[in-house]
Amino acid sequence: MAKLNLNQEIKKVEKRLNDIIVSNDPVIEEAALDLLASGGKRIRPAFVVLSSQFGEHTTEDTYRIAVALELIHMATLVHDDVIDKSDKRRGKPTIAKQWDQDIAILTGNFLLALALEHISTVKHERVHHVISHAILDVCRGELFQFQDQFNANQNVVNYLRRINRKTALLIQLSTEVGAITADADDKTVHKLKRIGHYIGMSFQIMDDILDFTSTEKQLGKPVGSDLLNGHITLPVLLEMRNNSEFKQRIQQLNANNPKEEFQHCINVIRASSVIEEAQRVSDHYLAKTLDLIESLGNEDAKKLFNKIINKMAKRNK
């Protein structure tokens, strides 16, 4: 294979995304394009294309999957914002805030339907099997997150299962299916699937850390948004385990509490050593990723993988 220019590849995917977001309803089309224009890291398309480098050849199916997984990711963001009643996403008003909740739900459904239509011509049966099962699990993850709002009686294992479904699955799909579309051998596909899982777990843990340690300007939403929305993330779980007074406060939190009560809990986390503890968990997943990448072929693609992972480890938003 020719040496990959990942920036050029992402530009191709970006153009395809702009071209296919077309609806008979101008409001839904505008809302979907507005979300697309708000940016995003596009890590899922990047990992689809990058993983295809470990097979025989990148195909049209590779690009279709790259586009579809970004559309699915966008759909989950819209639905997350509705469930959380969020006003901001990437520093801009959410679709529900800018239009209304009904438009937001319909836009999310439209993006998901568009993704499925876009991969309808993909020839690999295995791709359809893997994606359909993963989408079911992603939906379960959304449901479990909703059910676990303000539930202080959960543990780290519950949390890891939830973030696996919420975030890691779509990144795992990116690496696994990207390899399948390029006719990679089964051993390589399995390695890339595990790589995607580890990256996804680390990525979400980092997100949950940054929710406390970053700034509102960098996050594009208020600091501590997860806790404000009742999501008990790893830093909170670790502090609850270490601090009985803090645990009692978290157990008493609900959506009607004054913001000052949430702010106190956020300040406790920001000053706590659990940030470093959670970081070590994220780093553990990344170390497993790097070990697996080392066992793959294609030195140029491996270098790109390592470059992305190192960048992810140092991000601040």
Side-chain angles (χ1 to χ4, degrees):
M1 285 187 180
K3 192 171 181 179
L4 184 71
N5 184 325
L6 203 51
N7 288 332
Q8 289 297 325
E9 296 298 315
I10 295 305
K11 284 178 184 175
K12 287 182 195 174
V13 171
E14 198 82 32
K15 184 178 186 309
R16 286 178 179 235
L17 283 162
N18 271 291
D19 289 346
I20 71 161
I21 295 179
V22 177
S23 170
N24 292 329
D25 187 307
V27 176
I28 288 177
E29 182 177 319
E30 184 184 355
L33 287 170
D34 186 72
L35 177 61
L36 181 65
S38 71
K41 301 173 184 71
R42 308 289 185 246
I43 62 169
R44 290 151 195 86
F47 284 135
V48 172
V49 177
L50 184 50
S51 297
S52 74
Q53 300 299 293
F54 298 97
E56 292 180 13
H57 46 266
T58 301
T59 64
E60 170 62 19
D61 287 352
T62 306
Y63 293 105
R64 285 189 167 271
I65 295 298
V67 168
L69 291 187
E70 188 64 13
L71 290 171
I72 293 169
H73 170 59
M74 289 168 65
T76 65
L77 295 183
V78 177
H79 288 155
D80 265 353
D81 288 342
V82 170
I83 291 167
D84 291 339
K85 300 180 176 62
S86 299
D87 290 340
K88 278 187 174 182
R89 163 74 61 183
R90 297 167 184 157
K92 294 178 61 179
T94 59
I95 292 175
K97 181 73 175 175
Q98 197 168 340
W99 284 273
D100 58 41
Q101 183 171 293
D102 291 345
I103 292 296
I105 292 169
L106 289 168
T107 302
N109 293 349
F110 164 69
L111 290 167
L112 180 57
L114 201 59
L116 297 177
E117 181 187 49
H118 197 61
I119 60 170
S120 61
T121 59
V122 170
K123 300 176 183 67
H124 294 74
E125 272 189 44
R126 186 176 172 190
V127 166
H128 294 287
H129 176 79
V130 170
I131 289 178
S132 59
H133 279 268
I135 289 174
L136 278 174
D137 258 349
V138 169
C139 291
R140 288 191 189 103
E142 297 277 341
L143 178 61
F144 293 151
Q145 178 168 287
F146 177 67
Q147 291 172 337
D148 276 340
Q149 278 181 305
F150 294 105
N151 173 19
N153 298 316
Q154 52 184 296
N155 56 36
V156 172
V157 173
N158 297 134
Y159 164 81
L160 293 175
R161 284 178 184 155
R162 190 170 71 243
I163 69 167
N164 176 43
R165 289 188 166 109
K166 179 190 173 189
T167 301
L169 257 174
L170 279 183
I171 296 178
Q172 176 184 306
L173 262 184
S174 303
T175 53
E176 180 183 8
V177 178
I180 293 171
T181 61
D183 294 323
D185 63 78
D186 287 347
K187 189 176 179 181
T188 300
V189 170
H190 183 65
K191 283 182 181 179
L192 283 159
K193 176 181 178 179
R194 287 170 62 202
I195 286 168
H197 168 72
Y198 296 144
I199 291 171
M201 296 297 281
S202 173
F203 186 85
Q204 186 57 52
I205 292 167
M206 274 300 300
D207 257 12
D208 295 343
I209 292 168
L210 290 170
D211 190 56
F212 289 104
T213 61
S214 197
T215 64
E216 182 167 348
K217 185 177 180 181
Q218 288 170 324
L219 293 169
K221 58 182 180 179
V223 173
S225 287
D226 287 333
L227 190 57
L228 288 164
N229 289 320
H231 302 315
I232 312 297
T233 58
L234 186 59
V236 178
L237 287 167
L238 295 174
E239 186 65 25
M240 285 170 65
R241 194 167 67 186
N242 301 339
N243 182 338
S244 58
E245 182 191 341
F246 180 82
K247 183 175 182 179
Q248 287 175 353
R249 280 182 176 269
I250 294 295
Q251 287 172 330
Q252 291 165 9
L253 282 182
N254 60 62
N256 299 317
N257 281 110
K259 195 169 182 182
E260 291 76 22
E261 185 62 29
F262 286 97
Q263 193 58 53
H264 173 84
C265 295
I266 291 164
N267 291 341
V268 169
I269 295 290
R270 285 171 70 93
S272 173
S273 62
V274 297
I275 295 297
E276 288 76 24
E277 199 176 338
Q279 183 67 58
R280 285 194 292 272
V281 178
S282 174
D283 291 345
H284 172 69
Y285 280 112
L286 280 189
K288 292 169 87 166
T289 305
L290 293 169
D291 283 346
L292 268 176
I293 289 170
E294 195 54 42
S295 70
L296 294 170
N298 194 332
E299 292 302 316
D300 288 335
K302 280 164 63 172
K303 284 176 187 173
L304 278 173
F305 243 131
N306 288 330
K307 185 178 178 183
I308 293 173
I309 289 164
N310 287 327
K311 190 176 179 182
M312 284 171 61
K314 295 172 184 172
R315 68 195 175 97
N316 60 5
K317 60 181 179 177

